[in-house]
Amino acid sequence: MIDEKGQIAVDFLLGISLFLIALTFTVQFIPGMFMSGSAGESSLDYTAYRTATILVEDTGWWANSTSSGTDWEDHLSNVMRIGLAVDDDPGSKLTNSPNIISRNKTLQMMNLDEDTLVEMLGLYNNIDDTLFAYGYNISFIQDGNVLTLNNTSIIRGQVVPDYMEIAKSTRIVLMEKGTIASFTGDELTYNLTNTAATIIINGSFEENITIQISDLNLTGSSPMFLNASLDGNTLTQPSNYTVCKMDGWGKNSFNGSLSTGDILSFNFDKKLFSPATECRLDLEFSNVSIPFPGPPFADYNDANSTHYEPAYLVVEVW
């Protein structure tokens, strides 16, 4: 006899149950991944992340009835979007250099009025048709301190409260810090003695200038850097300049003693140099050989390029 009673196999029942559980989880979970944020902590997290991303990955944009471009820092009255990434092509809205930060854009961000900054960065929310601005703090940090450009501390917003929930987003960036000229020991010539490298510099500068020297020709025992002089006047550390050893992007303290493979980085105060004035910088060493007498001498202005240093952008929202 054939059994015609309706029955469901246990394996089928178990399988369809697991499928329904998985489907229910997917329907509830996936939309949350793409939500633009809601009231409460998730909205703060989204706002902090979005603000940091805009600042470091966007060039910004300006426009009027006849023209437009990414160089909004030169058109503050027509700003439509704020971004700090360097411009590859001012006529395009995109950049191929995210996380590389423009010095001029950053300084102009410091000059924007509060309402414009809040509106352009979306640092507000709308609840029950009522707009309110978030509390926020935007800062660039280098070596544990607020970064300074052109004697301006790069920090906007309020003091971060210690009694509220804070959403925080941090991005590693390269900040444009001025200009740098790099030389090897064999590219240097001398004016006074063959242990003093002579470099010609024409001022003036908006930021301190940096000179890096690698592959010095060490001779004898205990090679050392002794001092720097400008037009025959000995400079003092650290008021006129500082010097350190480079280790990749890192900077190590320097006591004057040199070893094979050292890269020295000199940072000179911009106030030492005057417009349309040619200065002679002499770097005096001991037991270091500078190969040839000048002229010509190494020229800072011919060898310089834009100088970037690592820093952190920190965005906090509450």
Side-chain angles (χ1 to χ4, degrees), residues 66-82:
T66 60
S67 188
S68 61
T70 60
D71 51 342
W72 62 266
E73 66 274 20
D74 298 325
H75 303 271
L76 295 182
S77 60
N78 294 299
V79 175
M80 302 190 69
R81 200 172 72 238
I82 295 173

Side-chain angles (χ1 to χ4, degrees), residues 216 218 222-225 245 254-260 262 264 285-288:
L216 284 165
L218 307 185
S222 303
M224 299 188 68
F225 167 73
K245 287 185 181 181
F254 178 59
N255 61 6
S257 179
L258 292 168
S259 302
T260 301
D262 283 347
L264 298 185
F285 298 91
S286 172
N287 291 323
V288 173

